[in-house]
Amino acid sequence: MAGHALGHTGPMVSLRTPGKRKPKPPVLELAPRPRPWLRALGLVTVVLAGAWLGLLVVGNVRTQVGPMNTTMTLRPSLSGGTKINVSPLGALQLDSHVAPVRLDVNVDQLDPVRAQALVDHPERLSGLQDEVARDVEHGTLDLAVRSCVAVVVGATTLGLAVYRRPGRAAAAGGLALALLAASGGTAYATWNPKSVLEPRFSGLLSSAPSLVGNARSIVTEFDVYQKELARLVTNVTKLYDVTSTLPAYRPDPTTVRVLHVSDIHLNPASWKIIASLVEQYKVDVIVDSGDTMDHGTEAENGFLDPVANLGAPYVWVRGNHDSLLTQRHLEGMRSVHVLDRGRAVTVAGLRFAGVGDPQYTPDRSTVPGGGDAEERAGAELAAALRAQRAAGTPVDVAIAHEPSAARGVDGEVPLVLAGHLHHEQTEVLDKGTRLRVEGSTGGSGLRAVEGKYPDPIEASILYFDRDTRRLQAWDEIKLGGLGLTTAEVSRHLPKENQPGATPTPTDPATGTPTGAATAP
């Protein structure tokens, strides 16, 4: 009855479904926050990328420098420096500063009106250097301001695109500006105005040694070199008037020019290169420090025929790939001076003495180098140098093929030349003698194909003062090896000849510095 009173007609049914529970609301998990160093790395990446993009897009200044229209640009760089691109003649590189930015100066075109006026009125060149110097200064200041704007805009824009937060974007822009300011400060602190004395040329400019002056003016006229960069730019006016041959080098009559070659290794292309260098640099004497041959056989002697027509006397010492057959063949050729066992000869006002390599290893069955034989050869040459000095005919330049033999004359002569290593290097030995090792003027011959990249063809022009017979400067010449067409010339000065340097006392008997130098 009670059930009917409540309106139920059947048994009571539970409203909760058996076996099922009410689902729990989902729990939201927060993503892990990035680590601080990752956030910092991301910000630095955005700053660097944005600053670099800003420099690429708007970080350049077009300015007129003398008769030329140029574009100046700052570029990220690990080594810094300045690069002057003179298309189509090549490029000029200066180690002007050490900072993570490089100054690029592109010479776009000549102003035909101003250029023609200079050609018609050469007297205007005397005042053009000051004008060019001012133009470069103004262009650099404009570039600094524009670069600041470029890096800030680039980093801020990229920061806004990545983070979509104005605060973060502003931080990126500020950090970019601080980075550029720090780079500029580093460049200012390491600025080296003397870098123009040791430029590196590439392209057609490598055949224009006249651009950097002669050996005597390097030492005595440094005030002129204060504006040398301006003169380099000014000379482009004349360089554009030529095609494949640039203005010839006008040698200082008081300068003796020596072409140092080595390790030709039967490369026939070497003779044409040597003849070209003799003509271009007005070379007075050629010095070959050995390994002209590969096996030293009699059949190879015909390879030496061009030596008689190179246009300059040829001073030669035997290398470990040259035989006594080779030596006797050269002794019978005109204009060739074969030096061995300390023999001395005077050529072009310089006194040379040399010794042949005591080892003969054409098949490389014996690994050449050092050893008692080389030390004895060095001692023999040193004794000959002392005898020459005692006779009143001191030697100016000693020659040996192996550097370990050349080291034996330390303190007996101002300069000793060597080869054998197939790469150039220069050092001042403990007692003051300068050792100059030449690379391979034959690009290592057939060995050029043994490595991943072909060896370059290397030679040097050595400048001597005719009065003191001391080395004033040298140009390192590096040409692309087998299959390559690159060219680079770099000028170097002995430390004691650097402008402003205190003259190094020398031993009047040997001509070597009395104190050991520490840099080439």
Side-chain angles (χ1 to χ4, degrees), residues 219-257:
V219 180
T220 61
E221 300 177 12
F222 180 62
D223 57 322
V224 176
Y225 283 85
Q226 299 286 355
K227 300 176 182 178
E228 187 63 19
L229 180 58
R231 190 171 75 86
L232 288 169
V233 177
T234 301
N235 279 353
V236 177
T237 303
K238 300 177 181 179
L239 294 179
Y240 266 105
D241 292 334
V242 303
T243 54
S244 60
T245 305
L246 298 183
Y249 175 55
R250 295 184 178 180
D252 183 345
T254 65
T255 301
V256 180
R257 291 156 305 283

Side-chain angles (χ1 to χ4, degrees), residues 68-94:
M68 289 159 299
N69 298 319
T70 69
T71 301
M72 295 184 178
T73 312
L74 287 181
R75 289 285 182 258
S77 171
L78 295 177
S79 57
T82 299
K83 183 176 182 180
I84 304 173
N85 298 300
V86 189
S87 179
L89 300 175
L92 172 69
Q93 291 181 307
L94 307 174

Side-chain angles (χ1 to χ4, degrees), residues 258-277:
V258 175
L259 171 59
H260 183 198
V261 301
S262 190
D263 296 86
I264 293 174
H265 285 290
L266 284 182
N267 186 344
S270 299
W271 300 128
K272 293 183 179 180
I273 293 170
I274 292 172
S276 176
L277 292 173

Side-chain angles (χ1 to χ4, degrees), residues 1 22 74 76 91 109 112 120 129 137 145 166 191 205 211 250 265 272 331 334 353 427 478 482 507:
M1 292 295 291
K22 186 177 180 181
L74 287 181
Q109 63 180 11
D120 295 339
Q129 290 187 357
E137 181 180 357
V145 174
W191 183 253
L205 285 179
L211 288 177
R250 295 184 178 180
H265 285 290
K272 293 183 179 180
E331 286 173 341
R334 63 181 179 87
E427 64 176 300
K478 183 179 295 187
L482 186 65
D507 185 335

Side-chain angles (χ1 to χ4, degrees), residues 59 107 112 182 232 299 359:
V107 179
L232 288 169
Q359 300 189 91

